[in-house]
Amino acid sequence: MTDNIELTHQQERAFQPQRLSAPRDFILPSIIGENKNNLPLLLEIGAGKGKHALGFAVRNADKHLIAIERTRNKFEAFAKLAAIQASPNLDAIHADAIAWTVHAIKPNSLAKIFILYPNPEQHNPNQQWLNMPFFEFLLSRLQVNGEVILVTNIEAYMDNAERQATKVWCLPNTRYTVATDSQRTHFEVKYLARGETCWELNMRKPEGYKTRFDEWQVGHISEDK
Ligand SMILES: C[S@@+](CC[C@H](N)C(=O)[O-])C[C@H]1O[C@@H](n2cnc3c(N)ncnc32)[C@H](O)[C@@H]1O
């Protein structure tokens, strides 16, 4: 489908995965090496205290979610609840999602990526996820027809994300307004209780999509056993 489209992102500065060292205390989750039941693999970036990840794992026993949070105190709250819940289909990871993804996720392996209420980065827009060269790498980890779900309460963030998804990343996408009774994450509950509008952008990786990282993988990710 994208064969004849000159992907605009390939004219952008390329992300350099080889420059990133593995996060401290990095351990490869067993699901990466041996996904025995062939469960669809999903990634959540910036999971906070894990409200969405914990609920998702219970409701979706047929999927495996890896949820990453960088801030220590939030991660500790998440890890405590994850240990009590003990869902076999959830990995709670304390790391920077960029370095961790580079070191753990194989190309073309994720069915879905959740980015729920990312930091607004209004004063540093090049840190917004769809403005980052890393986003191309992230797309290389997604399977064909896999989705990226982005949710925010900042209209300007959503406007920019929608524009970038279409113009730079050439991804079919749909924008929704989040239902006022939705309660997926702590930030979602807080914003909706204040009467704010929240937006969701669903982006899909189409057939034939190419990135500069489709073959790139760190040496320590073994093949499926
Ligand atoms: C505004 S909070 C939202 C948390 C949660 N998703 C929610 O909706 O309640 C954004 C979170 O993303 C995390 N975060 C930002 N950049 C990250 C990165 N590179 N890797 C992992 N987590 C990150 C922050 O630590 C923060 O907890």
Side-chain angles (χ1 to χ4, degrees):
M1 180 185 166
T2 51
D3 279 357
N4 297 322
I5 298 174
E6 198 179 331
L7 292 173
T8 329
H9 66 75
Q10 304 230 356
Q11 291 155 21
E12 302 277 315
R13 181 167 59 89
F15 178 63
Q16 306 213 2
Q18 72 285 0
R19 292 199 167 180
L20 289 182
S21 357
R24 198 177 336 157
D25 304 327
F26 176 76
I27 298 171
L28 198 61
S30 56
I31 189 75
I32 304 292
E34 34 187 320
N35 187 352
K36 287 198 187 104
N37 299 325
N38 238 346
L39 298 182
L41 187 64
L42 293 81
L43 181 72
E44 182 172 346
I45 293 180
K49 296 180 183 173
K51 180 172 169 59
H52 172 264
L54 292 158
F56 184 92
V58 168
R59 289 189 307 274
N60 295 275
D62 57 343
K63 301 185 175 70
H64 192 104
L65 178 64
I66 297 176
I68 310 180
E69 173 51 48
R70 181 177 65 185
T71 304
R72 177 173 295 280
N73 62 354
K74 289 189 187 182
F75 176 75
E76 282 172 357
F78 177 19
K80 213 179 261 179
L81 293 171
I84 294 166
Q85 184 168 300
S87 295
N89 61 332
L90 174 65
D91 284 305
I93 307 282
H94 182 214
D96 180 293
I98 297 179
W100 196 90
T101 300
V102 163
H103 282 270
I105 305 290
K106 297 178 193 176
N108 192 29
S109 65
L110 297 173
K112 204 176 258 197
I113 300 166
F114 295 104
I115 307 176
L116 307 177
Y117 302 93
N119 292 339
E121 307 290 1
Q122 276 154 316
H123 301 295
N124 203 0
N126 58 10
Q127 293 297 309
Q128 294 182 8
W129 289 103
L130 277 89
N131 293 347
M132 294 168 80
F134 169 70
F135 200 72
E136 182 182 353
F137 186 88
L138 196 57
L139 292 173
S140 75
R141 309 295 102 173
L142 202 56
Q143 296 166 342
V144 171
N145 287 320
E147 290 182 321
V148 183
I149 311 291
L150 173 81
V151 192
T152 180
N153 65 323
I154 313 274
E155 190 168 15
Y157 194 118
M158 183 49 67
D159 290 345
N160 176 66
E162 190 179 13
R163 202 166 43 240
Q164 293 287 91
T166 305
K167 295 237 160 80
V168 175
W169 304 112
C170 304
L171 301 170
N173 62 83
T174 314
R175 175 174 173 162
Y176 305 93
T177 301
V178 174
T180 51
D181 60 353
S182 185
Q183 303 196 345
R184 286 172 293 187
T185 78
H186 288 110
F187 277 75
E188 185 161 85
V189 170
K190 178 170 81 176
Y191 297 138
L192 292 174
R194 294 202 301 229
E196 294 182 24
T197 303
C198 297
W199 291 273
E200 175 164 329
L201 190 66
N202 290 3
M203 297 159 261
R204 186 177 57 79
K205 179 175 175 176
E207 197 93 36
Y209 194 87
K210 300 226 178 329
T211 80
R212 289 169 284 190
F213 305 102
D214 294 341
E215 311 299 326
W216 197 96
Q217 174 170 306
V218 283
H220 58 238
I221 307 180
S222 60
E223 291 306 312
D224 280 336
K225 290 172 189 157

